[in-house]
């Protein structure tokens, strides 16, 4: 392999331009660059203080990840997450009302309200159970359809790989 003298000279000139003139200057400039980048990242580094990670961000991130995991799980089992959250919210509100009424002095009106709230809680729990049962049925139906598709694919593969005898038509 031959390289023309012109191209070799060109590469030598580029190398000399990139090469620092003095080795100590290059080391000093590297230290300056490192110090500048370190001070830009943590201004308290010279003092010796270390900053703790921003807790609100990590809490927000953790809450987001939890919500995302719940949504993925709900999608996996076929649960309507919005309806589930609405029912859970209503149950919590009803229980809070019931606790507030339980703290009041006994009266016929309070007892009527408590029984109405108990009935409402029963209905909400039944609605929640119905939603979960529907999610189970949806998941089972989805699994059956996926299995049927896998079976059809397996049959196709088996049929494709079966050696067939050539037939001669006369």
């Amino acid at each position: 392999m031959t390289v023309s003298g012109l191209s070799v000279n060109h590469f030598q000139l580029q190398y000399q331009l990139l090469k620092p003139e003095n080795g100590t200057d290059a080391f000093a400039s590297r230290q300056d660059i490192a110090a500048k980048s370190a001070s830009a990242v943590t201004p308290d580094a010279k003092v010796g203080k270390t900053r703790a990670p921003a807790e609100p961000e990590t809490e927000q991130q953790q809450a987001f990840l939890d919500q995302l995991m719940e949504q993925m799980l709900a999608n996996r089992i076929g649960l309507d997450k919005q309806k589930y959250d609405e029912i859970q919210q209503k149950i919590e509100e009803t229980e809070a009302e019931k606790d507030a009424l339980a703290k009041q002095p006994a009266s016929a009106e309070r007892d009527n309200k408590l029984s109405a709230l108990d009935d409402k809680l029963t209905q909400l729990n039944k609605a929640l159970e119905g939603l979960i049962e529907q999610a189970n049925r949806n998941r089972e139906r989805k699994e059956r359809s996926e299995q049927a598709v896998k079976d059809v694919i397996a049959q196709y593969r088996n049929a494709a790989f079966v050696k067939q005898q050539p037939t001669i038509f006369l």
Side-chain angles (χ1 to χ4, degrees):
M1 178 172 154
T2 61
V3 178
S4 68
L6 183 61
S7 63
V8 171
N9 288 337
H10 178 70
F11 287 123
Q12 285 177 344
L13 287 174
Q14 286 182 347
Y15 177 73
Q16 288 175 353
L17 290 174
L18 295 175
K19 182 178 154 184
E21 294 177 13
N22 190 348
T24 58
D25 290 338
F27 183 71
S29 66
R30 288 182 190 153
Q31 286 181 339
D32 291 340
I33 292 170
K36 289 178 184 176
S37 65
S39 66
V41 171
T42 56
D44 297 335
K46 294 179 183 176
V47 181
K49 296 179 183 177
T50 58
R51 290 195 288 178
E55 291 182 22
E57 290 180 6
T58 57
E59 290 174 4
Q60 287 178 341
Q61 291 172 350
Q62 187 64 35
F64 175 74
L65 290 175
D66 290 341
Q67 181 183 7
L68 184 63
M69 185 61 93
E70 287 176 5
Q71 184 65 39
M72 287 174 48
L73 181 62
N75 287 343
R76 177 74 177 133
I77 63 173
L79 182 68
D80 186 358
K81 183 74 169 126
Q82 290 177 340
K83 286 183 182 178
Y84 179 80
D85 289 340
E86 288 174 8
I87 293 172
Q88 286 287 26
Q89 180 69 26
K90 289 178 183 178
I91 288 174
E92 290 173 5
E93 290 172 359
T94 306
E95 286 177 347
E97 285 181 44
K98 185 178 174 182
D99 290 340
L101 282 176
K103 293 178 183 179
Q104 293 180 356
S107 69
E109 184 180 336
R110 180 191 79 127
D111 292 338
N112 291 338
K113 287 181 182 179
L114 282 175
S115 65
L117 289 175
D118 286 335
D119 292 340
K120 186 176 180 181
L121 278 174
T122 304
Q123 290 175 353
L124 288 172
N125 285 327
K126 285 182 182 178
L128 190 61
E129 288 173 8
L131 187 64
I132 292 171
E133 288 174 6
Q134 180 183 5
N136 286 334
R137 286 192 301 272
N138 291 342
R139 180 182 46 82
E140 288 172 358
R141 186 177 6 174
K142 183 179 177 183
E143 288 175 356
R144 281 194 304 265
S145 67
E146 288 174 357
Q147 187 62 36
V149 168
K150 288 179 184 178
D151 291 343
V152 168
I153 291 172
Q155 286 177 350
Y156 175 75
R157 285 184 180 165
N158 290 338
F161 292 117
V162 172
K163 293 184 179 180
Q164 298 179 354
Q165 297 291 330
T167 56
I168 301 174
F169 295 103
L170 299 176

